[in-house]
């Protein structure tokens, strides 16, 4: 995002902003310590393990539930199981939260940032962007590349 002049860093702490945008108080003050780096390395400590069907933040559970259409808010509400940076658990919701932060910093939809900074320069031929029920961008993409 440096190309567009926006400043974003590994130590940014995006969780509280998601609660603020929803008009909610953060439900566990320890979540304030979760950084963008924790989200990107799947070490947030949230109960979010895409491999485990029992995990409250698993991707399957998130897509199947119908109570919360905002997947950013859904993910930040799952309980914290471990301190940030203590354990690895693959979590699609974490990457999606990183997308929420990118959107907030860029002040445009995350899928537009993706298109401008990745898809066009890397010459993606076709890509499909998943959309959750609230129609906000979900930071998961399937891609096919152009033959050069």
């Amino acid at each position: 995002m440096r190309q567009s002049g926006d400043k974003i860093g590994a130590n940014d702490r995006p969780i509280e902003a998601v609660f603020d945008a929803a008009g909610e108080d953060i439900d566990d003050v320890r979540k304030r310590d979760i950084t963008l780096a924790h989200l990107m390395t799947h070490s947030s400590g949230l109960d979010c393990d895409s491999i485990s069907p029992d995990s409250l933040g698993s991707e399957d559970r998130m897509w199947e539930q119908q109570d919360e259409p905002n997947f950013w808010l859904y993910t930040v509400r799952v309980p914290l199981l471990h301190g940030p940076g203590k354990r690895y658990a693959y979590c699609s919701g974490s990457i999606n939260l990183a997308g929420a932060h990118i959107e907030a910093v860029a002040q445009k939809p995350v899928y537009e940032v993706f298109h401008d900074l990745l898809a066009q320069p890397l010459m993606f031929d076709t890509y499909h962007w998943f959309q959750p029920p609230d129609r906000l961008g979900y930071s998961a993409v399937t891609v096919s590349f152009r033959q050069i």
Side-chain angles (χ1 to χ4, degrees), residues 44-60:
S44 69
L46 295 170
D47 182 8
C48 184
D49 184 344
S50 292
I51 308 294
S52 171
D54 297 329
S55 172
L56 294 176
S58 75
E59 190 170 29
D60 288 344

Side-chain angles (χ1 to χ4, degrees), residues 39-42 72 90-100 102 139-140:
L39 296 174
M40 297 295 293
T41 59
H42 303 283
W72 298 336
Y90 180 80
C91 175
S92 300
S94 289
I95 300 303
N96 191 41
L97 284 177
I102 290 167
S139 299

Side-chain angles (χ1 to χ4, degrees), residues 92-129:
S92 300
S94 289
I95 300 303
N96 191 41
L97 284 177
H101 185 60
I102 290 167
E103 183 168 302
V105 170
Q107 297 184 334
K108 63 181 179 179
V110 66
Y111 51 83
E112 286 182 22
V113 175
F114 173 84
H115 180 78
D116 295 345
L117 298 181
L118 291 171
Q120 282 188 325
L122 294 175
M123 299 188 303
F124 290 1
D125 186 28
T126 303
Y127 62 92
H128 303 278
W129 195 273

Side-chain angles (χ1 to χ4, degrees), residues 26-47:
I26 194 163
D27 62 350
D28 183 332
V29 295
R30 298 174 302 159
K31 290 180 181 179
R32 288 187 177 123
D33 294 333
I34 298 171
T35 64
L36 184 59
H38 293 129
L39 296 174
M40 297 295 293
T41 59
H42 303 283
S43 62
S44 69
L46 295 170
D47 182 8

